[in-house]
Amino acid sequence: MINDTLPLTFGVELEMVFAFHETLLQAYLNKNNSGVTIVKDINASERRHLNRPPTQYLLTRPEYLSWGLTGTAEHPGAIQSRNGQFRTYGDEPLHVAHHLLPGKTAYVHDDRKQATRFVEWHLTNDRSLTGVDKGTLIQKFRDRIPDIKAANDWDSYGIELVSRVLPISDESFTEINTLLTAINGTPTSHHGAFPSRHCGMHVHVGHPTQRFPLPTLQHLAYILITYETQISAMHPSHRREGSEAANVDIASNRDNFLLDPARIVKKLVFDPVTRTVSRKNRWVTMQSLPKIRAVIFAKDMTLARLVNLMGGSKGHMVNFSYLLRKPGWGPATLEFRQHEGCLHGPSVMWWVLFVTGLVRLADHLANINAINTTTGAGLVGYKFNEWHENMSFVDLFEMMDFPREGREYLGAQVAFHAVSSVVEERERERTPDSEEEAEEEEDDDDDGDDGDGDDGDGDDGDGDDGDDGGKGKGKKRGRDDDDDDDDGGVRPPPALRC
């Protein structure tokens, strides 16, 4: 790996739906709060009342889907029912999960009583996540929950497992895998975990002794803007530009580099299912690379300006805003937010190595280029100085000298998600949400366009491989809103499952 002597640290935030048998919850209650009883029969009106996610998630998380408990709770996350007879969970599921982890590797975090520590792992609530209905539990855990009768003895709740600050080493990935093995359970366990469609895996990257130099961050920003489409190809369509998540959690970092007005060009697009190439209309929405370089590498660039250029807030594919944290406010890290929720050790490892590889590459490129003097003339060490149809994620593998095994692993992800995206798009085309949409699609076809009006990244003229997920409207989902691979869709190979 290029620049592998650069000292880096990382941390992971692993969002999940934690499922547990009633006996585990009851054992915790008997030991810690014997006067509390479990309430399973909650009507739909109460479930809507008890549901208090952040406002932006209300449409896709309309109900509280977990059990209730009698009595009151000190925990601020617990919501009381209208009649005052029961409440939602506070931190009880976190304690159930805590007792399943090996040794004392994690603690249950309480924001009211302690500042967040990153010297050890911790479990915490995540208000953006919910439990799931019984049908989804059966679907996810057929080895443990064979039917609805068994499912009535199981509950689920959205939680987050957050790592300590870790060095990039084999020992760190072994540590992660050990905790994931414990939380996932086995076919005979009375618990399990899985990432729903709403879950993400966030990777924080930092330096152990100092803040990242501005030139390193400028080159990282330029890499991310240039190759956002290709990096997005490593992820499923619901973690790309144009998806529901992109609207609230993982917006594009490119918004300040768009071309106004956008224009349409003809482009060859490869269909990985039929293995045919066709010429379709694509939107070009990005400024030229020389103009983007002139902005990012401006002589008067500051960290605050660069953070604003890359979105200025947390909810982007890569969050630069934490770099502005002052001492005592938390680690000054880069946060890579795009990956789907993942509880599979090898997938976590290769994504961590990829994003830390991007930082290593950016630092290397900063060292070999004359920063703050480059305008439109190009940069040393990059394969392309203008958008080109041959741009590929392989360029990044080559520039960072990524390990062959990792290239094969992430390359397989790209291939799988490419086929999945095409299958999903065809399903949407077969089942339009309304007659008006069907008419619009017919009109688009008459115009010679590809029916989606945009290719998910706006086909920025960046050599997009035609596989960036689309901005078309997705089909309506059930309340668990889970992109399950057991519903007739494309199933990933076992090695790629998160």
Side-chain angles (χ1 to χ4, degrees):
M1 185 90 77
I2 199 168
N3 202 13
D4 59 3
T5 59
L6 176 68
L8 293 176
T9 58
F10 76 97
V12 291
E13 299 172 359
L14 303 169
E15 299 174 350
M16 70 189 79
V17 175
F18 174 58
F20 49 93
H21 193 272
E22 182 177 357
T23 53
L24 296 181
L25 176 61
Q26 192 62 61
Y28 171 76
L29 295 176
N30 291 343
K31 184 176 181 179
N32 296 277
N33 199 341
S34 58
V36 171
T37 58
I38 299 170
V39 178
K40 297 182 181 181
D41 187 14
I42 305 175
N43 63 48
S45 176
E46 278 288 11
R47 289 194 180 279
R48 288 191 292 271
H49 166 73
L50 295 171
N51 189 49
R52 303 289 175 87
T55 304
Q56 65 267 36
Y57 301 111
L58 276 173
L59 289 177
T60 54
R61 288 85 154 164
E63 293 182 342
Y64 175 77
L65 294 174
S66 303
W67 293 336
L69 298 174
T70 58
T72 59
E74 294 183 4
H75 196 280
I79 308 299
Q80 206 73 22
S81 65
R82 286 193 180 96
N83 59 19
Q85 295 181 357
F86 64 93
R87 59 173 173 83
T88 63
Y89 289 130
D91 57 6
E92 292 84 2
L94 301 179
H95 286 284
V96 172
H98 171 253
H99 289 299
L100 300 169
L101 299 178
K104 296 183 178 180
T105 52
Y107 68 97
V108 174
H109 180 64
D110 187 337
D111 289 320
R112 301 166 304 146
K113 298 179 181 179
Q114 57 200 164
T116 304
R117 306 193 306 267
F118 295 101
V119 295
E120 55 190 316
W121 289 73
H122 69 267
L123 290 154
T124 184
N125 288 318
D126 189 321
R127 292 177 58 222
S128 70
L129 304 177
T130 66
V132 296
D133 59 27
K134 302 306 180 186
T136 301
L137 283 178
I138 295 170
Q139 194 174 54
K140 289 293 183 180
F141 299 108
R142 290 192 178 100
D143 52 359
R144 278 157 267 193
I145 311 175
D147 51 39
I148 191 63
K149 182 179 179 181
N152 287 332
D153 295 330
W154 284 71
D155 198 18
S156 61
Y157 194 68
I159 68 173
E160 185 173 6
L161 178 62
V162 182
S163 80
R164 65 185 182 91
V165 177
L166 294 162
I168 300 173
S169 66
D170 291 341
E171 291 75 17
S172 293
F173 295 119
T174 298
E175 183 176 320
I176 292 171
N177 199 58
T178 298
L179 268 69
L180 290 181
T181 299
I183 202 74
N184 281 320
T186 69
T188 60
S189 297
H190 279 184
H191 74 278
F194 69 93
S196 74
R197 185 183 183 85
H198 300 308
C199 296
M201 175 177 71
H202 305 157
V203 179
H204 291 256
V205 180
H207 193 287
T209 59
Q210 65 183 43
R211 292 175 179 259
F212 290 114
L214 180 60
T216 296
L217 298 172
Q218 287 173 288
H219 275 275
L220 179 64
Y222 182 66
I223 292 169
L224 294 171
I225 295 301
T226 305
Y227 284 96
E228 183 176 289
T229 299
Q230 288 73 26
I231 294 172
S232 291
M234 299 178 183
H235 305 288
S237 59
H238 69 272
R239 302 297 293 182
R240 302 183 194 173
E241 174 68 1
S243 67
E244 169 216 318
N247 294 329
V248 293
D249 286 324
I250 49 170
S252 169
N253 291 107
R254 288 173 159 179
D255 286 352
N256 288 314
F257 301 94
L258 299 178
L259 184 67
D260 187 20
R263 56 193 175 86
I264 295 178
V265 298
K266 290 284 187 180
K267 178 171 181 182
L268 293 177
V269 177
F270 175 67
D271 184 328
V273 174
T274 63
R275 304 191 65 80
T276 59
V277 176
S278 59
R279 185 175 295 277
K280 297 183 178 180
N281 286 344
R282 292 297 190 182
W283 287 96
V284 174
T285 62
M286 295 299 297
Q287 298 173 11
S288 69
L289 286 186
K291 288 184 178 180
I292 292 172
R293 285 195 294 274
V295 173
I296 291 177
F297 297 106
K299 293 181 180 180
D300 58 349
M301 182 58 64
T302 64
L303 176 59
R305 282 186 58 200
L306 184 65
V307 168
N308 285 331
L309 278 173
M310 296 302 287
S313 63
K314 174 181 176 179
H316 289 77
M317 293 178 180
V318 183
N319 168 24
F320 277 61
S321 69
Y322 290 164
L323 296 170
L324 296 176
R325 282 173 165 169
K326 297 178 181 179
W329 288 15
T333 58
L334 291 154
E335 183 188 19
F336 293 82
R337 297 173 53 83
Q338 190 173 8
H339 203 286
E340 65 179 324
C342 190
L343 303 179
H344 183 236
S347 294
V348 174
M349 179 187 73
W350 286 119
W351 181 242
V352 168
L353 290 176
F354 180 78
V355 298
T356 54
L358 291 177
V359 177
R360 295 185 190 281
L361 174 62
D363 187 74
H364 167 74
L365 291 168
N367 291 332
I368 65 173
N369 281 276
I371 306 304
N372 292 329
T373 60
T374 300
T375 55
L379 294 166
V380 177
Y382 289 87
K383 188 171 181 179
F384 299 100
N385 283 312
E386 186 50 282
W387 300 116
H388 195 281
E389 63 182 9
N390 289 336
M391 281 181 165
S392 167
F393 60 89
V394 176
D395 301 342
L396 297 174
F397 291 162
E398 292 174 349
M399 286 193 289
M400 68 173 73
D401 194 22
F402 203 62
R404 187 178 71 174
E405 184 181 355
R407 298 186 193 200
E408 293 173 352
Y409 192 95
L410 295 178
Q413 282 192 177
V414 172
F416 166 69
H417 293 314
V419 173
S420 297
S421 296
V422 172
V423 171
E424 290 173 10
E425 183 63 27
R426 289 181 174 178
E427 181 65 23
R428 284 192 291 268
E429 290 173 355
R430 285 196 296 268
T431 56
D433 287 343
S434 67
E435 292 181 6
E436 289 78 8
E437 282 187 30
E439 292 174 359
E440 288 175 6
E441 289 178 7
E442 289 176 4
D443 291 340
D444 288 339
D445 290 340
D446 290 341
D447 292 337
D449 200 354
D450 55 356
D452 60 5
D454 198 331
D455 63 352
D457 245 342
D459 185 78
D460 19 68
D462 61 355
D464 168 26
D465 56 7
D467 143 42
D468 35 345
K471 287 187 179 177
K473 297 181 177 65
K475 63 180 180 180
K476 296 178 181 177
R477 294 181 174 270
R479 70 178 180 181
D480 66 354
D481 200 27
D482 187 18
D483 72 332
D484 218 295
D485 47 52
D486 296 324
D487 59 2
V490 180
R491 293 174 60 88
L496 300 182
R497 296 173 70 90
C498 274

